[in-house]
């Protein structure tokens, strides 16, 4: 299947700092990417839908000023957690939709963020 | 509104026995249905999908799923379970006419295959 990479795979940072997570579709062009957050032993919670060249669409309850999303190219989307706090500690997973064939959504390996 | 139900939080099966992980869905229009598997501290891996055509879909690692429109179900099956199949399984759906909307996921079912 198609490959989606995510970097870094894990990060530890101090409270108040910003962290950027990159998501790349390696073998297809993704006009649409998605960012999810997953808490331990729970399902994925959609944070936002990222469309190349336009502003991201955030889900209700997700602070757009805290979770900045940039989809600058057809193969790259970034999520920046600004002024991170311990409650932002989580597993963040990106997903890219392959328009061919038939719009399968592929997922990155995830980024575990720990804010101290 | 779209929704997915995975009625079982946990499924236990002996190695070599057949396994079934249940999924039912609700969607307006025709459904696109997907199964993903997640191993610890990893992202989701695509297993199989139903878009159109044959109701029985075969996917990776010997898994298959059957689309049942009348029962709005898309249960995941495997004839003979392996210990390495132990993982968290997610069913997901979106409508064929929903444009760029993301997949809606079930809450996941943890499969434990016992040797």
């Amino acid at each position: 299947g198609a490959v989606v990479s995510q970097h870094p795979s894990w990060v530890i940072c101090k409270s108040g700092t910003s962290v950027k997570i990159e998501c790349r579709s390696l073998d297809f062009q993704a006009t649409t990417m998605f960012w999810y957050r997953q808490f331990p032993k729970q399902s994925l919670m959609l944070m936002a839908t990222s469309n190349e060249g336009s502003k991201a669409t955030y889900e209700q309850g997700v602070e757009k000023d805290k979770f900045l999303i940039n989809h600058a190219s057809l193969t790259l989307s970034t999520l920046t957690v600004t002024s991170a706090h311990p409650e932002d500690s989580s597993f963040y997973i990106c997903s890219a939709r392959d328009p061919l064939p038939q719009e399968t959504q592929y997922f990155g390996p995830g980024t575990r963020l720990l804010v101290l | 509104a779209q929704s997915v139900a995975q009625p079982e939080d946990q499924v236990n099966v002996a190695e070599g026995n057949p396994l079934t992980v249940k999924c039912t869905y609700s969607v307006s229009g025709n459904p696109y249905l997907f199964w993903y598997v997640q191993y610890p501290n990893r992202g989701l891996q695509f297993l199989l999908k139903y878009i159109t055509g044959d109701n029985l879909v075969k996917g990776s690692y010997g898994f298959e799923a059957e689309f049942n429109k009348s029962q709005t179900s898309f249960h995941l099956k495997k004839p003979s379970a392996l210990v390495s199949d132990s993982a968290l399984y997610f069913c997901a759906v979106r409508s064929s006419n929903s444009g760029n909307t993301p997949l809606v996921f079930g809450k996941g079912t943890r499969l434990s295959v016992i040797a």
Side-chain angles (χ1 to χ4, degrees):
Chain A
V3 178
V4 176
S5 72
Q6 207 171 321
H7 178 79
S9 56
W10 60 269
V11 60
I12 302 174
C13 69
K14 293 182 179 180
S15 185
T17 60
S18 294
V19 175
K20 179 185 282 189
I21 303 171
E22 292 187 350
C23 177
R24 296 180 184 271
S25 57
L26 297 185
D27 49 6
F28 65 95
Q29 293 184 328
T31 54
T32 305
M33 290 185 172
F34 306 93
W35 286 95
Y36 295 83
R37 184 173 178 175
Q38 186 179 32
F39 293 99
K41 299 186 178 182
Q42 293 191 27
S43 187
L44 280 71
M45 182 192 80
L46 179 68
M47 298 175 66
T49 301
S50 168
N51 294 299
E52 187 266 339
S54 64
K55 291 183 178 180
T57 302
Y58 290 81
E59 295 299 301
Q60 192 172 9
V62 178
E63 298 177 58
K64 61 182 66 178
D65 293 332
K66 179 164 190 62
F67 298 100
L68 299 179
I69 291 172
N70 185 2
H71 194 159
S73 76
L74 288 172
T75 58
L76 173 64
S77 176
T78 60
L79 167 68
T80 301
V81 183
T82 62
S83 187
H85 289 97
E87 58 266 28
D88 299 324
S89 299
S90 192
F91 193 52
Y92 293 88
I93 306 175
C94 75
S95 177
R97 177 168 290 161
D98 184 358
L100 297 171
Q102 297 163 333
E103 303 189 8
T104 298
Q105 233 176 279
Y106 294 98
F107 289 79
T111 296
R112 185 158 300 284
L113 171 63
L114 177 60
V115 184
L116 301 177
Chain B
Q2 302 167 136
S3 67
V4 175
Q6 291 181 244
E8 303 153 317
D9 291 336
Q10 174 90 33
V11 170
N12 299 317
V13 64
E15 186 177 30
N17 283 2
L19 69 87
T20 298
V21 183
K22 296 180 180 177
C23 171
T24 58
Y25 67 90
S26 174
V27 69
S28 58
N30 293 319
Y32 289 168
L33 292 155
F34 301 80
W35 274 102
Y36 292 86
V37 59
Q38 185 180 31
Y39 295 97
N41 298 311
R42 303 291 299 274
L44 274 65
Q45 294 181 29
F46 169 72
L47 277 180
L48 52 79
K49 66 184 177 186
Y50 170 82
I51 302 297
T52 186
D54 289 341
N55 290 342
L56 184 63
V57 178
K58 293 186 183 297
S60 306
Y61 312 119
F63 283 94
E64 58 187 31
E66 185 166 12
F67 170 60
N68 188 315
K69 187 173 183 179
S70 63
Q71 297 185 4
T72 61
S73 68
F74 190 57
H75 301 330
L76 180 69
K77 299 182 179 184
K78 187 173 182 180
S80 178
L82 300 173
V83 172
S84 57
D85 293 330
S86 299
L88 186 57
Y89 290 81
F90 290 99
C91 180
V93 69
R94 62 186 286 258
S95 170
S96 61
N97 57 6
S98 60
N100 265 344
T101 57
L103 292 174
V104 173
F105 284 87
K107 60 181 174 64
T109 298
R110 188 164 300 279
L111 172 66
S112 180
V113 181
I114 304 163

